[in-house]
Amino acid sequence: MYSTYNHPSLKSLILHRRYALLALGIIIALYLYSTRSSFTPPSTSSSKSSLQSSSGVTGPTTSTPHPPTETPSIFAPGTPKPVGSKYSQTLVVAATKEEDVDWLDRDLPDVHKAIYVADDQNATLHPPSNKGHEAMNYLTYMIDNYHDLPDVSIFIHAHQVTWHNNDAMDSDTAVMVKRLSNEHVFRQGYFNLRCHWKPGCPDNLWEYAEGEAQNSEEKTAFTKAWSELQPGTPLPKNLSQPCCAQFALSRQRILSVPLKRLVDFQSWLAATDLTDNISGRIFEHTWQFIFTGETVYCPEMHVCYCDGYGICFGSKGAYQDWSDLKEQQLSVMKKAEQMDDSEEEEKRKLHEYSDKLGRTIERDEDRALERGKDPAKRAEEVGRPWKEGDGF
């Protein structure tokens, strides 16, 4: 049978079209190759500079602060693991040689710990330089472990009991760590461990500086530091979160901040001429911006207690009633302590009244703890959607 493909003119036309398409393909390939070779992707190298490693050289590589060149990431809420799943945790402790950390193994034996000793270059873990209070320790941990992070990292000071811990947990860090909800940290990404607003919320960052001299010094230093740490971002009128630089982060949230940005923060901290106190406080007031992109981070206190720790008072008003009783008891005890021996009877009555208040406070706390065991009640109190089987 005669085929039209064998016609000489038609066959020649088809061959010419094939050659033209082949030539066009070669031109496109050469263009794409030249475009790709001229593009340099952002560096994601995990190699450690002299500042990065906890066992590296202790000095900065440059004599002036090196400002971060990345802009803050867009932070998305996280999703907890399936109900019943286990979460890996690391407790990151900023310590000094003089501080007693024996309580960590005694009260938290099953929690993995990374204890960074700021003033001991011979310690197993230590920052490259002792600057910026806990900030240098925290940044060193994030950089050293960026590619091998646990599900949740908890950043704390070395002391166990302190005024800036949570009242409903006896101001005890060990209790806070035990009660911390990994699910809540996963949802939030960043969680300030302190629920109480004062000091820090909703006042601006200079509201509770100690004395006018420090207040003025900190304002001046912060304005310059902000322009170096957050280039291109105007200094906000207010930076607020509860004090005092203790928080938890999910793996996802740490990885939302490029490694280079964390290294740049560390480099800035090592090179700055600011005092240890001022440079540390600058980071204390900016962790929430670094890890949430928000200048004001002041969650409702009852929400923090309920979803963060499973201590659910039932409502904002019920929490406030409990808080008022705590304040009242403290005031009564203070008044009793100021009395002399000639006022023994009045002092006795005040102690009795304090005991009565204490019993009411303890009752409310017990009820809050019981209420917090129910995942549905937790969700209801904080206004979070929940359905049967959702867990915490």
Side-chain angles (χ1 to χ4, degrees), residues 24 106 111 227 229 232 267 301 352 360 366:
L24 179 60
R106 182 184 67 244
V111 179
S227 67
L229 292 167
S267 299
M301 290 176 276
E352 288 180 353
T360 304
D366 288 344

Side-chain angles (χ1 to χ4, degrees), residues 84-154:
S85 298
K86 292 186 177 181
Y87 292 79
S88 57
Q89 282 184 339
T90 293
L91 191 61
V92 185
V93 185
T96 61
K97 288 187 295 186
E98 290 74 22
E99 290 180 296
D100 178 13
V101 294
D102 291 345
W103 65 272
L104 290 164
D105 286 333
R106 182 184 67 244
D107 293 346
L108 299 168
D110 299 324
V111 179
H112 180 260
K113 305 164 192 74
I115 304 172
Y116 284 79
V117 185
D119 55 351
D120 184 0
Q121 292 296 302
N122 295 317
T124 303
L125 295 174
H126 59 82
S129 58
N130 183 13
K131 296 188 69 176
H133 288 314
E134 67 283 318
M136 182 65 85
N137 297 276
Y138 293 176
L139 288 167
T140 302
Y141 164 82
M142 293 179 208
I143 293 166
D144 284 352
N145 297 277
Y146 193 82
H147 299 291
D148 189 27
L149 290 163
D151 293 326
V152 173
S153 298
I154 308 167

Side-chain angles (χ1 to χ4, degrees), residues 88-381:
S88 57
Q89 282 184 339
T90 293
L91 191 61
V92 185
V93 185
T96 61
K97 288 187 295 186
E98 290 74 22
E99 290 180 296
D100 178 13
V101 294
D102 291 345
W103 65 272
L104 290 164
D105 286 333
R106 182 184 67 244
D107 293 346
L108 299 168
D110 299 324
V111 179
H112 180 260
K113 305 164 192 74
I115 304 172
Y116 284 79
V117 185
D119 55 351
D120 184 0
Q121 292 296 302
N122 295 317
T124 303
L125 295 174
H126 59 82
S129 58
N130 183 13
K131 296 188 69 176
H133 288 314
E134 67 283 318
M136 182 65 85
N137 297 276
Y138 293 176
L139 288 167
T140 302
Y141 164 82
M142 293 179 208
I143 293 166
D144 284 352
N145 297 277
Y146 193 82
H147 299 291
D148 189 27
L149 290 163
D151 293 326
V152 173
S153 298
I154 308 167
F155 299 84
I156 65 167
H157 303 159
H159 35 240
Q160 179 175 8
V161 177
T162 178
W163 67 269
H164 59 69
N165 283 344
N166 291 315
D167 292 349
M169 287 170 272
D170 298 324
S171 299
D172 190 327
T173 304
V175 178
M176 291 165 60
V177 171
K178 289 175 183 177
R179 296 205 60 85
L180 179 66
S181 167
N182 292 307
E183 294 85 353
H184 184 67
V185 176
F186 255 50
R187 277 191 293 271
Q188 298 299 311
Y190 172 87
F191 176 62
N192 189 315
L193 298 183
R194 178 172 169 83
C195 294
H196 302 272
W197 278 12
K198 300 291 184 180
C201 282
D203 308 323
N204 68 55
L205 66 100
W206 297 292
E207 196 70 25
Y208 64 96
E210 298 173 5
E212 289 302 319
Q214 178 174 329
N215 193 311
S216 177
E217 179 187 3
E218 191 169 316
K219 283 184 178 181
T220 301
F222 199 98
T223 301
K224 182 175 184 295
W226 181 267
S227 67
E228 294 173 344
L229 292 167
Q230 311 293 343
T233 303
L235 177 66
K237 294 181 179 179
N238 188 5
L239 277 168
S240 299
Q241 69 168 330
C243 89
C244 293
Q246 295 191 126
F247 51 87
L249 287 166
S250 67
R251 178 196 296 114
Q252 176 187 353
R253 187 53 56 93
I254 294 178
L255 295 178
S256 294
V257 178
L259 176 59
K260 183 183 185 306
R261 185 168 172 80
L262 297 173
V263 173
D264 286 344
F265 286 145
Q266 188 192 54
S267 299
W268 180 91
L269 195 55
T272 183
D273 292 329
L274 294 174
T275 65
D276 184 54
N277 184 45
I278 295 297
S279 61
R281 280 175 61 80
I282 285 170
F283 274 91
E284 178 185 341
H285 293 302
T286 53
W287 289 120
Q288 83 279 14
F289 183 77
I290 294 170
F291 289 110
T292 72
E294 301 291 335
T295 57
V296 176
Y297 177 90
C298 298
E300 290 290 350
M301 290 176 276
H302 75 289
V303 170
C304 172
Y305 264 119
C306 185
D307 225 16
Y309 296 105
I311 303 175
C312 302
F313 290 93
S315 66
K316 182 177 180 179
Y319 165 80
Q320 191 59 54
D321 290 341
W322 168 85
S323 181
D324 290 344
L325 286 175
K326 292 281 287 186
E327 288 291 330
Q328 187 178 357
Q329 185 187 41
L330 184 63
S331 176
V332 168
M333 290 302 298
K334 186 176 180 180
K335 183 177 180 181
E337 289 171 1
Q338 293 172 343
M339 290 182 172
D340 56 36
D341 294 340
S342 64
E343 300 172 287
E344 190 64 35
E345 181 60 23
E346 184 63 24
K347 185 186 293 189
R348 184 186 63 77
K349 290 180 180 179
L350 288 175
H351 279 294
E352 288 180 353
Y353 184 49
S354 174
D355 291 342
K356 181 180 179 181
L357 291 172
R359 288 191 292 273
T360 304
I361 290 168
E362 186 175 353
R363 180 205 65 194
D364 290 348
E365 290 174 352
D366 288 344
R367 290 175 177 175
L369 288 167
E370 190 62 32
R371 192 179 291 110
K373 294 177 182 178
D374 186 335
K377 289 182 179 178
R378 280 200 202 186
E380 180 184 7
E381 180 164 339

